[in-house]
Amino acid sequence: MVDRTALPIRRRRHARPQELLDAALSLFIEKGFAAARADEIAARAGVSKGTLYLYFHSKEDLLQELIAQRFSSKIAISFHVATDARASLDMLREVVATWRSALIEGDAGGIVKLLFTEARNFPVLADFWMREVITPTRLLVSKIVKHGIERAEFRAVAPNSVVDALVLPLIAACLQRHAINPHASSDGTPCGHDDLNSCFELVLEGLMDRPAERTPTPTRMTA
Amino acid sequence: MVDRTALPIRRRRHARPQELLDAALSLFIEKGFAAARADEIAARAGVSKGTLYLYFHSKEDLLQELIAQRFSSKIAISFHVATDARASLDMLREVVATWRSALIEGDAGGIVKLLFTEARNFPVLADFWMREVITPTRLLVSKIVKHGIERAEFRAVAPNSVVDALVLPLIAACLQRHAINPHASSDGTPCGHDDLNSCFELVLEGLMDRPAERTPTPTRMTA
Amino acid sequence: MVDRTALPIRRRRHARPQELLDAALSLFIEKGFAAARADEIAARAGVSKGTLYLYFHSKEDLLQELIAQRFSSKIAISFHVATDARASLDMLREVVATWRSALIEGDAGGIVKLLFTEARNFPVLADFWMREVITPTRLLVSKIVKHGIERAEFRAVAPNSVVDALVLPLIAACLQRHAINPHASSDGTPCGHDDLNSCFELVLEGLMDRPAERTPTPTRMTA
Amino acid sequence: MVDRTALPIRRRRHARPQELLDAALSLFIEKGFAAARADEIAARAGVSKGTLYLYFHSKEDLLQELIAQRFSSKIAISFHVATDARASLDMLREVVATWRSALIEGDAGGIVKLLFTEARNFPVLADFWMREVITPTRLLVSKIVKHGIERAEFRAVAPNSVVDALVLPLIAACLQRHAINPHASSDGTPCGHDDLNSCFELVLEGLMDRPAERTPTPTRMTA
DNA sequence: CATGAATGAGGGTTCATTCAT
DNA sequence: TATGAATGAACCCTCATTCAT
């Protein structure tokens, strides 16, 4: 909406812009874009309100920069998991573990929450989510699953169903953590880390061709 | 400005608050609470701005009323699925199908999206979500799973992992549909209905003790 | 501001308009013109808000009507106290007593409070006050005082000073009663009736030529 | 919109709140609290509407601050008139003269008008008026009068009657000046300064025990 | 006549953005 | 570069006024 090519504004001197982006990200996640106030962002970055506008043209510009700089580095993890010699099961486990450490244990989950929260106000977010996150992830998981089916490690299931069964719980857990848990009386903490792990194992069990030798802990099973 | 001759006014007068609630709900879902303007809510309900305040004290009151009236009736579906004589597997399928028709095919999914979007600004929403939706649902699914394990229909897994594997994909699909899909270029429509179904079946497969007796839907395809 | 000659609107059927005027007057006195709401006026008159506009064009019209109908009858008491054979002192006492019963004990005092409160927003009120109330009163008292001086009943003082000394305390007491007393913690109720009486007598003493025979109660002194 | 080059900005910045308070006070006096618009207050202070809210939380906050800061310093003149060796008559004259210069000639009279106008909407004003102004004043005057009576300077009258006879005309004159005079066609300017003076002398005459020793100002004129 | 739901202009208040220092 | 006071558009909400019943 704003022509950002007109005045590039000298940015990125010192760490100031990065601190502002961090502050903006955390506030956007906490309160949403519309409810986050510019003063508050500046205050959280330790600068005055006017300084914010030395580095960014507008509040919306902050969001655009966040998408361009932070999201891609934190979220759009490009997996280079080639369908190598390892067991497909382990490759899936690795993918899931990587995601879980980024989304649930790391701080990328907040970005996911923000993406879902603001996607309808800023379609570019929806595009980003689909293009940079979902599509590559689904392709990757699909590739592994197909590879596993070809090598008879997995049953012949629709790859998309595996993608859904593995990726969707992650997303939901991530949103639950950043949207609900901060305020809910934490009597029954759902979607804990261990729960998610056993959830994934349950799905992987359903993928396996041989129900024998089942063990709750993820035991390596060579072909 | 709006053609109000369609319905007799007497009918409409009594329905006014509900129309305003509907308009508010759809706008809150679309833009979030903070970005939804009172004028817009009124306009969508076919009335002027002032009329809104004949029925509701404030914009926030609209949200409170939505929680009290709409959410509980649309979301907090109280399952009366007694652990009856049926197969536990079928009971789980019924629960999941009920949720899917309400959240994905029906219009309750928007409420879920709103709950996640606004929970941090309105903690009462987080409480509602946990108390009325998540906790009962987890209890119900847990009960069925335990029952199935006792009757040796299921493997001995942690009930919570089944809950996560079945409920979290639903939530994520619901959010995907209401947050991302409306604006994303729908090239690869993910989380479709069929996908979700096969996702659930995959999970249920992982639950079953004897893969030989698999249900007809996902036919085994040997390589 | 509103052309009231255009549509006279049938008024004064039954007692409705009078009830509305009464309600408006009391609310104008209590809260001032700007802070008095039309709903409240109608409610106090026992009718609905719409009914008010059957009889009056606007809220301001209510005030205009009050001035025309109520004020003149309640406030602008036309004294016909001819300088008759009575003692001037008694004539002054009668004037003061008449005013006091109307302003302090009666309900005309509220109108005075309203006049002072709204005179700057509605100059017509200031004009009314000067033309209908103050000027005639001052003339009357002046006449009596001059008459008394001529007949050697009074000392030779400036008539205006007597007017001020008699009329201003009345006005102040009237405003005190309607503006301050309703809410002030009535520990020391000032400007009581008895106080005012002795206040007037004190002034009249200052008028008298012969300080002898002074008595606290207003004894008649024949010439 | 306003010529702000007149004063150096640095000077003005520090004076901003006071300028806003002054503007608010004058507008509250002119139109009353409810009819005074925030834009107008800001404009009169030479700033824009938003600036007002940099210094005050709300319009009502402006009134509260006025009470706390301006009223007490302008109105609640603490008299240190000890009952010294001077004649009680002169002490009364001094008190009255002080009040008159503050209320009639100075700008404290507007505050009195505001107090009377808004007391019913803001009871704190009524309390302030009684506690800070009326009660101390009455006590002071009473003390002087009692002292004068003890020393046989005055007749034995009820002190309260003297209070009323001296204070009430001042209040009324003050209200007349700020409520009525600004708009009334000033044909007969009532309550002038000279009038008030002779009014007070008339009252004091009534107080004196021996009319023979009357003070020079009102010379006796025998018929 | 009477009602009260509906209107919409207007007021109080907020807050993204600018700019003089 | 950094500040924070100033701005004013835009919001939420009120309430005088209208009008269909």
Side-chain angles (χ1 to χ4, degrees):
Chain A
M1 201 170 279
V2 171
D3 188 349
R4 229 169 326 113
T5 65
L7 281 187
I9 293 187
R10 47 234 143 159
R11 291 203 188 95
R12 235 144 295 127
R13 295 264 173 90
H14 315 87
R16 202 42 55 80
Q18 205 52 250
E19 291 166 355
L20 281 163
L21 285 171
D22 288 343
L25 178 59
S26 63
L27 270 167
F28 289 166
I29 291 169
E30 282 176 29
K31 320 186 132 187
F33 177 82
R37 294 195 341 252
D39 320 34
E40 217 170 350
I41 294 171
R44 188 168 290 194
V47 298
S48 76
K49 189 168 44 169
T51 303
L52 192 157
Y53 287 89
L54 290 177
Y55 298 101
F56 302 95
H57 289 288
S58 67
K59 200 168 82 163
E60 191 167 338
D61 187 34
L62 270 171
L63 187 58
Q64 306 288 349
E65 293 291 328
L66 280 173
I67 298 169
Q69 299 178 13
R70 320 280 334 267
F71 289 12
S72 53
S73 65
K74 293 223 170 185
I75 290 282
I77 310 167
S78 55
F79 285 103
H80 301 294
V81 181
T83 55
D84 53 19
R86 288 181 296 160
S88 299
L89 186 66
D90 289 339
M91 288 196 285
L92 282 185
R93 280 204 184 101
E94 182 191 331
V95 169
V96 167
T98 304
W99 275 106
R100 198 192 54 216
S101 75
L103 295 183
I104 308 295
E105 285 140 25
D107 56 351
I111 295 174
V112 175
K113 192 256 184 178
L114 180 59
L115 282 166
F116 273 83
T117 299
E118 300 297 334
R120 296 203 60 167
N121 291 111
F122 303 97
V124 64
L125 289 177
D127 289 337
F128 175 86
W129 172 251
M130 292 306 295
R131 188 179 61 253
E132 305 285 336
V133 184
I134 287 300
T135 302
T137 299
R138 298 188 79 90
L139 281 178
L140 174 69
V141 175
S142 279
K143 198 164 78 175
I144 299 174
V145 169
K146 282 173 188 161
H147 189 244
I149 292 175
E150 286 169 6
R151 303 211 299 193
E153 296 174 85
F154 298 152
R155 293 193 294 119
V157 298
N160 266 343
S161 66
V162 184
V163 175
D164 289 341
L166 292 178
V167 174
L168 296 186
L170 262 170
I171 294 171
C174 168
L175 293 167
Q176 168 80 24
R177 180 165 179 266
H178 285 273
I180 308 289
N181 285 351
H183 286 295
S185 46
S186 52
D187 47 354
T189 52
C191 314
H193 304 174
D194 294 339
D195 287 328
L196 264 189
N197 249 351
S198 52
C199 162
F200 291 139
E201 288 304 321
L202 185 65
V203 170
L204 295 177
E205 293 288 340
L207 247 187
M208 302 300 290
D209 205 5
R210 286 163 298 176
E213 300 180 30
R214 271 163 184 158
T215 54
T217 52
T219 323
R220 184 83 166 274
M221 288 184 289
T222 49
Chain B
M1 198 172 281
V2 170
D3 181 43
R4 227 172 301 125
T5 63
L7 282 176
I9 289 190
R10 187 54 63 97
R11 254 197 69 80
R12 303 190 83 261
R13 189 159 294 172
H14 194 251
R16 208 34 59 80
Q18 204 52 250
E19 291 170 350
L20 282 162
L21 284 173
D22 290 342
L25 178 58
S26 64
L27 268 166
F28 289 165
I29 292 169
E30 282 176 31
K31 321 188 128 188
F33 177 82
R37 300 208 312 274
D39 319 35
E40 215 170 351
I41 295 171
R44 185 166 293 193
V47 298
S48 78
K49 187 169 44 170
T51 303
L52 192 158
Y53 291 92
L54 290 178
Y55 299 101
F56 302 95
H57 294 308
S58 65
K59 199 169 78 161
E60 192 165 336
D61 187 34
L62 270 172
L63 187 59
Q64 305 290 348
E65 292 291 325
L66 280 174
I67 297 170
Q69 297 179 14
R70 318 289 320 278
F71 289 13
S72 52
S73 65
K74 292 224 171 185
I75 290 282
I77 310 166
S78 55
F79 286 103
H80 300 295
V81 179
T83 53
D84 52 18
R86 288 181 295 161
S88 299
L89 187 67
D90 290 337
M91 288 195 284
L92 282 186
R93 279 205 186 98
E94 181 191 330
V95 168
V96 167
T98 303
W99 275 105
R100 197 193 54 216
S101 76
L103 295 183
I104 310 294
E105 286 139 25
D107 55 351
I111 294 173
V112 174
K113 192 257 185 180
L114 181 58
L115 281 167
F116 274 83
T117 299
E118 301 297 336
R120 293 200 65 165
N121 291 112
F122 302 96
V124 64
L125 290 177
D127 289 337
F128 175 85
W129 173 249
M130 292 306 295
R131 189 180 61 252
E132 303 286 333
V133 184
I134 288 301
T135 302
T137 299
R138 296 187 80 91
L139 281 177
L140 174 69
V141 176
S142 279
K143 197 165 79 174
I144 299 175
V145 170
K146 282 173 188 162
H147 190 243
I149 292 174
E150 284 170 7
R151 303 211 300 193
E153 296 174 85
F154 298 152
R155 291 191 298 116
V157 298
N160 266 343
S161 65
V162 184
V163 174
D164 290 339
L166 291 179
V167 174
L168 296 186
L170 261 170
I171 294 170
C174 168
L175 294 166
Q176 168 80 24
R177 178 164 180 266
H178 285 272
I180 309 289
N181 286 351
H183 285 295
S185 48
S186 54
D187 47 355
T189 50
C191 315
H193 304 176
D194 294 340
D195 288 327
L196 264 190
N197 249 350
S198 52
C199 163
F200 292 138
E201 289 303 326
L202 185 65
V203 170
L204 295 177
E205 293 289 337
L207 246 188
M208 302 299 290
D209 205 4
R210 286 163 294 175
E213 298 178 13
R214 270 165 189 151
T215 48
T217 317
T219 323
R220 181 94 167 264
M221 289 183 294
T222 49
Chain C
M1 200 170 279
V2 171
D3 188 347
R4 230 167 327 113
T5 65
L7 281 188
I9 291 185
R10 48 230 144 162
R11 292 202 188 99
R12 235 143 293 126
R13 295 263 175 86
H14 312 89
R16 206 37 60 77
Q18 207 52 250
E19 290 166 355
L20 280 163
L21 286 172
D22 288 342
L25 178 59
S26 63
L27 270 166
F28 289 165
I29 291 169
E30 283 176 29
K31 321 188 134 188
F33 178 82
R37 295 195 342 252
D39 319 36
E40 218 170 351
I41 295 171
R44 188 168 291 194
V47 299
S48 77
K49 189 167 42 169
T51 302
L52 191 157
Y53 287 89
L54 290 177
Y55 297 100
F56 302 94
H57 290 290
S58 67
K59 200 168 81 163
E60 193 168 335
D61 187 34
L62 270 172
L63 186 59
Q64 306 288 351
E65 293 290 329
L66 279 174
I67 298 170
Q69 300 178 14
R70 321 282 332 269
F71 288 13
S72 52
S73 65
K74 293 222 170 188
I75 291 281
I77 310 168
S78 54
F79 286 101
H80 301 296
V81 180
T83 54
D84 52 19
R86 286 182 295 162
S88 300
L89 187 67
D90 289 339
M91 287 195 283
L92 282 185
R93 281 204 185 100
E94 181 191 332
V95 169
V96 167
T98 304
W99 275 107
R100 197 192 54 215
S101 76
L103 296 183
I104 309 294
E105 286 140 25
D107 56 351
I111 294 173
V112 175
K113 193 255 185 180
L114 180 58
L115 282 166
F116 274 83
T117 298
E118 300 297 334
R120 295 203 61 167
N121 292 112
F122 303 97
V124 64
L125 289 177
D127 289 337
F128 174 85
W129 173 249
M130 291 307 294
R131 189 179 61 252
E132 304 285 335
V133 185
I134 288 301
T135 302
T137 299
R138 295 188 82 89
L139 281 178
L140 174 68
V141 175
S142 279
K143 199 164 76 174
I144 298 174
V145 169
K146 282 172 189 162
H147 190 245
I149 293 174
E150 285 170 6
R151 302 211 299 193
E153 296 173 85
F154 299 151
R155 292 192 295 118
V157 299
N160 266 343
S161 64
V162 184
V163 174
D164 290 340
L166 291 179
V167 174
L168 296 186
L170 261 171
I171 294 171
C174 167
L175 293 167
Q176 169 81 24
R177 179 165 180 264
H178 285 273
I180 308 288
N181 286 350
H183 286 294
S185 46
S186 53
D187 46 356
T189 51
C191 315
H193 304 176
D194 294 340
D195 288 327
L196 264 189
N197 250 349
S198 53
C199 163
F200 292 138
E201 288 305 320
L202 185 65
V203 171
L204 295 178
E205 294 290 338
L207 247 186
M208 302 300 290
D209 203 7
R210 286 163 296 175
E213 299 180 32
R214 271 165 182 155
T215 53
T217 49
T219 321
R220 186 81 168 273
M221 287 183 291
T222 49
Chain D
M1 199 172 282
V2 170
D3 181 43
R4 228 173 299 125
T5 64
L7 281 176
I9 288 188
R10 186 55 58 99
R11 252 197 68 79
R12 303 190 82 261
R13 188 159 293 170
H14 193 251
R16 203 44 50 84
Q18 203 53 248
E19 291 170 351
L20 282 162
L21 285 172
D22 289 342
L25 178 59
S26 65
L27 268 165
F28 289 165
I29 291 169
E30 283 176 29
K31 321 187 127 188
F33 177 82
R37 299 206 314 273
D39 318 37
E40 215 170 352
I41 295 170
R44 185 167 293 193
V47 298
S48 77
K49 188 169 46 169
T51 302
L52 192 158
Y53 290 92
L54 289 179
Y55 299 101
F56 301 96
H57 295 309
S58 65
K59 200 169 78 162
E60 192 166 337
D61 187 34
L62 271 173
L63 187 58
Q64 305 290 345
E65 292 291 326
L66 280 174
I67 298 170
Q69 297 178 15
R70 317 291 320 278
F71 289 14
S72 50
S73 65
K74 292 224 172 186
I75 290 283
I77 310 168
S78 56
F79 286 102
H80 300 295
V81 180
T83 54
D84 52 20
R86 288 182 295 164
S88 299
L89 187 66
D90 290 336
M91 289 195 284
L92 281 186
R93 279 204 185 99
E94 181 191 330
V95 168
V96 167
T98 304
W99 275 106
R100 197 192 53 215
S101 77
L103 295 183
I104 310 293
E105 286 140 27
D107 54 352
I111 294 174
V112 175
K113 192 258 185 178
L114 180 58
L115 281 167
F116 274 83
T117 299
E118 301 296 336
R120 295 201 63 165
N121 291 112
F122 302 96
V124 64
L125 290 177
D127 289 337
F128 175 85
W129 172 250
M130 292 307 295
R131 190 179 59 251
E132 304 285 334
V133 185
I134 287 302
T135 302
T137 298
R138 296 187 80 91
L139 281 177
L140 174 69
V141 176
S142 280
K143 198 164 77 174
I144 298 175
V145 169
K146 283 173 188 162
H147 190 243
I149 293 175
E150 285 170 6
R151 302 210 303 193
E153 296 175 85
F154 298 153
R155 292 192 295 117
V157 300
N160 267 343
S161 65
V162 184
V163 175
D164 289 340
L166 292 178
V167 174
L168 296 187
L170 262 171
I171 294 171
C174 169
L175 294 167
Q176 168 81 24
R177 179 166 179 263
H178 285 272
I180 309 289
N181 285 351
H183 286 293
S185 48
S186 52
D187 47 354
T189 51
C191 314
H193 304 176
D194 294 340
D195 288 328
L196 264 189
N197 249 349
S198 53
C199 161
F200 292 138
E201 289 302 327
L202 185 65
V203 171
L204 295 177
E205 293 287 341
L207 246 187
M208 304 299 290
D209 205 6
R210 287 161 292 175
E213 300 177 14
R214 268 164 188 154
T215 50
T217 316
T219 322
R220 184 94 168 261
M221 288 185 293
T222 49

